[in-house]
Amino acid sequence: MPATPESPAPAAPTDFIRDIVTAHVAEKRYAKIVTRFPPEPNGYLHIGHAKSICLNFGIAREHQGQCNLRFDDTNPAKEDVEYVDSITRDVRWLIEGWADHCLSYKPKGAHPAPITSNGRPDHYLAPVPPGPDSEAFFASDYFPQLYEYALELIRRGKAYVCDLSAEDTEKFRGSPDRPGQDSPFRNRSVAENLDLFQRMNAGEFPDGARSLRSKIDMTSPNMWLRDPLLYRIRHVPHYHAGDKWCIYPLYDYAHCLSDYLEGVTHSLCSIEFVPHRPLYDWVLENLDLPRPVPHQYEFAKLNPSYTLLSKRNILRLVQEKIVAGWDDPRLPTISGLRRRGIPASAIRKFVIGVGVTTFNSVTEIAVFEHAVREELNQTASRRLAVLKPIKLVLTNLAPDEVIACTATNNPQDENPTTRPVSLTREVFIESDDFAEVPPPKYFRLKPGGEVRLKYACIIKLDEIVKDATGAITELRCTAQLDTRTGGPNADKKVKGTIHWVSATHCIDAEVRLYDRLFTVAEPAAEPDFMKVVNPQSLEVVTAKLESSLATAKASERYQFERLGYFALDKDSSPDSRLIFNRTITLKDTWAK
């Protein structure tokens, strides 16, 4: 909603990274602030990524800058176009209407210009708005430039070809309390290294036979500076680059140079990349690149309780069919959250509200759920639905009698609108709203008791009808029609109000009642997180819904009154069956 003089725009969030960027803007250090969101396309994005998305796009938004969506796709064995498509869809959905004007793409098929004698392309990739003639940035598009930079490192005596196996390379690295040993191939001549690396690129050697390593310091206390790998041989075709390459750069080498080639000013990473930062700087410094160069800054990851955010663990849940796919509404994936009916605005509000620090901690999932409820309470249309129905007969209404009632669509609207609902002789109420032997202080329907049918009238239970087995088949009541709105006894008070739907003016629908996937707050800390999967994370019921929901829209969110918030599922079909997912309950059912 746009800001008005009566409702000013909320202040931009503050944190230590934003303070740094603001200082740089004041110093006019950069012509424009450029950030990037660089996922590897080896899985679907989750709510942890949403924090990084909102931080990177938020900073660009606050400083009229740009944010590049870049796929760090240097490991062809695990990456796929399916993940590229899902990530692109999720990012654009999450920032739509908020920071999509900061999203920067490149002309489709464009590549960086050839490197000039000063070590820099003639120009940056010119950013363009997303559209049919543009596409996201890909690290794999920079493979020719990265290869040329690797040759330059060899010429400068900063990199060498190593013949050690992966196992021996690890042994030679030493340990945090023991220095490493120089590779026996560390002192090869520049000419020999150039020859071998070019032959690696030509495909002469099998996988794992040789690698290109940086020449830094095998005794460094930082393990990442002990001659880390820059390139390895992988005879695997690449989903985006095709089969042109059989050597692929390592992430730490490709990432900083991709930032540089795109003109990124502030490279924002999660806190585990702190020890990688010296290597990020080393690569840029030892290529003697013209300034300015990007700088890396780190922040703590989002870690919500009752949640797993590891792609590897989520993949296991998918493969072992604990969930129905990457977009299962029980998962913390952005596609799963969207399918569950959670608005992008609620996700943004949550991850921005959590803040940006360098301290790793667990965030209570109840904080996220509160943000979702708060958002949906303001925006969701109210509807009547009965999930577990029991029939109620209003004996003083004729079989074909229909009494028009008026229901409110959303009482939170500034000017609430209404819709008609029909009261008929037979209605359904929630089975939980009746007790034949009620507990103390039970204010819903009970023998001889009175309750109000919301939007209709007060009813009194007269008779309980059972079949031969003793099962209740219907409840027979009297409708006190004079207690309707505008009636002479409309002000009559009762302690209980329940919801209902007409038995003859309703529709059937499959409703999926989702709950938390794990029964413990920190499933990742368990020896096997599969043993703490919540067996009641999904219940499927056939519900009775008011007839207006026959035209429900996937873009709309609904509050089923007194039950929770619901959204139409993607598998739903108006012609065959309607399927609704429960987004969240009205109250925290997990609260102590």
Side-chain angles (χ1 to χ4, degrees):
M1 183 175 66
T4 66
E6 293 76 21
S7 60
T14 59
D15 53 68
F16 76 99
I17 291 180
R18 284 181 164 87
D19 290 345
I20 292 170
V21 177
T22 299
H24 291 167
V25 170
E27 297 168 3
K28 298 183 179 180
R29 183 178 297 193
Y30 304 104
K32 179 170 65 172
I33 298 300
V34 181
T35 59
R36 83 289 171 272
F37 175 64
E40 182 182 2
N42 63 348
Y44 282 53
L45 298 182
H46 52 62
I47 195 170
H49 294 109
K51 179 177 180 178
S52 178
I53 293 169
C54 290
L55 178 60
N56 279 286
F57 280 94
I59 287 175
R61 176 176 179 261
E62 292 152 23
H63 295 283
Q64 297 76 51
Q66 73 183 56
C67 182
N68 298 345
L69 172 59
R70 179 177 75 235
F71 294 98
D72 273 342
D73 52 352
T74 61
N75 188 0
K78 294 184 177 181
E79 297 158 354
D80 194 90
V81 69
E82 173 193 351
Y83 302 129
V84 171
D85 293 342
S86 72
I87 290 169
T88 303
R89 183 169 57 249
D90 289 347
V91 169
R92 297 184 70 169
W93 173 76
L94 188 60
I95 67 172
E96 184 178 7
W98 176 69
D100 45 358
H101 60 287
C102 301
L103 177 56
S104 189
Y105 274 24
K106 65 181 180 65
K108 189 172 289 184
H111 296 273
I115 294 173
T116 62
S117 58
N118 68 1
R120 188 161 207 161
D122 284 330
H123 57 81
Y124 293 131
L125 285 171
V128 297
D133 297 321
S134 62
E135 62 183 352
F137 296 85
F138 294 83
S140 54
D141 282 340
Y142 310 144
F143 283 174
Q145 285 73 20
L146 299 181
Y147 178 72
E148 292 296 327
Y149 284 136
L151 291 173
E152 183 60 24
L153 286 174
I154 293 173
R155 294 187 189 100
R156 292 169 174 265
K158 301 294 185 179
Y160 63 96
V161 174
C162 182
D163 297 357
L164 289 177
S165 66
E167 294 78 8
D168 287 340
T169 299
E170 192 61 29
K171 290 177 183 177
F172 274 58
R173 286 184 73 210
S175 62
D177 59 352
R178 178 171 50 85
Q181 304 175 54
D182 287 354
S183 164
F185 308 99
R186 197 174 194 266
N187 295 319
R188 277 174 163 154
S189 68
V190 168
E192 184 179 8
N193 283 319
L194 286 171
D195 175 66
L196 288 173
F197 186 57
Q198 290 167 335
R199 291 164 62 191
M200 285 170 57
N201 186 44
E204 288 191 25
F205 310 117
D207 289 359
R210 289 189 161 95
S211 63
L212 183 69
R213 299 175 64 180
S214 54
K215 187 183 291 187
I216 306 180
D217 182 2
M218 290 301 293
T219 65
S220 172
N222 184 340
M223 297 284 289
W224 294 100
L225 295 182
R226 295 183 184 180
D227 290 11
L229 272 65
L230 303 179
Y231 272 88
R232 75 285 210 205
I233 301 172
R234 292 286 186 274
H235 289 273
V236 178
H238 192 282
Y239 78 94
H240 183 71
D243 57 4
K244 180 179 179 180
W245 298 92
C246 62
I247 59 171
Y248 292 96
L250 274 293
Y251 170 85
D252 282 319
Y253 172 70
H255 185 78
C256 58
L257 289 171
S258 298
D259 286 347
Y260 175 75
L261 290 168
E262 292 176 11
V264 169
T265 58
H266 298 78
S267 182
L268 311 181
C269 302
S270 50
I271 203 75
E272 70 265 28
F273 285 95
V274 168
H276 297 241
R277 192 196 321 145
L279 179 55
Y280 183 102
D281 294 339
W282 182 92
V283 172
L284 298 175
E285 290 167 358
N286 282 276
L287 282 168
D288 193 25
L289 301 172
R291 274 25 183 184
V293 296
H295 290 275
Q296 177 178 302
Y297 306 89
E298 306 86 13
F299 61 95
K301 282 184 173 182
L302 177 64
N303 184 24
S305 61
Y306 293 95
T307 307
L308 277 179
L309 296 187
S310 161
K311 287 182 184 177
R312 175 174 52 84
N313 291 339
I314 294 175
L315 179 60
R316 183 181 171 193
L317 291 168
V318 172
Q319 291 177 335
E320 297 189 23
K321 300 188 183 305
I322 302 299
V323 296
W326 284 94
D327 66 346
D328 188 292
R330 290 166 290 181
L331 289 177
T333 56
I334 292 178
S335 57
L337 297 175
R338 180 171 63 247
R339 184 176 180 183
R340 188 162 175 159
I342 293 175
S345 54
I347 298 174
R348 293 197 304 265
K349 182 176 182 180
F350 168 64
V351 298
I352 293 172
V354 166
V356 180
T357 69
T358 57
F359 177 69
N360 284 318
S361 62
V362 175
T363 300
E364 291 293 336
I365 194 64
V367 179
F368 174 55
E369 293 169 345
H370 174 74
V372 175
R373 290 188 182 98
E374 193 173 60
E375 178 74 16
L376 291 175
N377 181 50
Q378 297 295 320
T379 59
S381 298
R382 274 52 168 176
R383 293 294 184 268
L384 294 173
V386 175
L387 301 184
K388 299 175 182 179
I390 184 171
K391 184 183 288 187
L392 188 152
V393 179
L394 303 178
T395 56
N396 58 327
L397 270 63
D400 58 351
E401 188 172 359
V402 178
I403 297 176
C405 303
T406 300
T408 303
N409 288 321
N410 187 345
Q412 299 297 320
D413 287 345
E414 186 175 345
N415 297 299
T417 58
T418 60
R419 68 188 186 284
V421 292
S422 299
L423 180 67
T424 54
R425 177 181 173 86
E426 294 184 351
V427 301
F428 290 113
I429 66 169
E430 207 72 51
S431 58
D432 289 345
D433 283 337
F434 163 73
E436 186 174 8
V437 183
K441 297 183 179 180
Y442 185 82
F443 300 125
R444 288 167 282 173
L445 194 61
K446 57 188 176 182
E450 295 180 336
V451 296
R452 180 176 290 277
L453 296 182
K454 190 168 188 181
Y455 303 123
C457 61
I458 293 172
I459 62 170
K460 181 179 180 180
L461 177 58
D462 301 317
E463 181 184 358
I464 301 171
V465 181
K466 300 182 180 181
D467 62 17
T469 67
I472 296 173
T473 57
E474 63 182 46
L475 305 174
R476 301 180 70 82
C477 301
T478 301
Q480 301 174 20
L481 298 178
D482 60 345
T483 62
R484 295 172 57 213
T485 300
N489 291 313
D491 294 334
K492 181 179 178 179
K493 304 295 182 184
V494 289
K495 291 187 176 180
T497 299
I498 62 176
H499 61 278
W500 56 279
V501 294
S502 164
T504 53
H505 292 70
C506 70
I507 57 175
D508 289 340
E510 177 182 313
V511 177
R512 299 170 181 174
L513 305 175
Y514 291 103
D515 205 342
R516 295 178 186 174
L517 187 55
F518 296 100
T519 59
V520 299
E522 297 186 57
E526 298 292 318
D528 183 1
F529 66 85
M530 299 291 274
K531 294 183 178 179
V532 293
V533 170
N534 181 9
Q536 298 177 324
S537 63
L538 172 60
E539 180 184 4
V540 180
V541 299
T542 300
K544 304 291 185 178
L545 314 182
E546 69 169 80
S547 56
S548 66
L549 285 166
T551 56
K553 299 177 181 178
S555 59
E556 293 289 322
R557 300 294 174 262
Y558 302 94
Q559 183 195 104
F560 291 177
E561 297 206 41
R562 300 180 64 235
L563 297 173
Y565 296 99
F566 294 78
L568 199 67
D569 186 75
K570 68 174 187 177
D571 292 339
S572 188
S573 171
D575 301 327
S576 55
R577 61 171 184 163
L578 291 175
I579 304 172
F580 285 86
N581 298 326
R582 182 171 68 189
T583 305
I584 198 167
T585 55
L586 289 180
K587 296 181 180 180
D588 183 1
T589 57
W590 288 70
K592 293 182 180 179

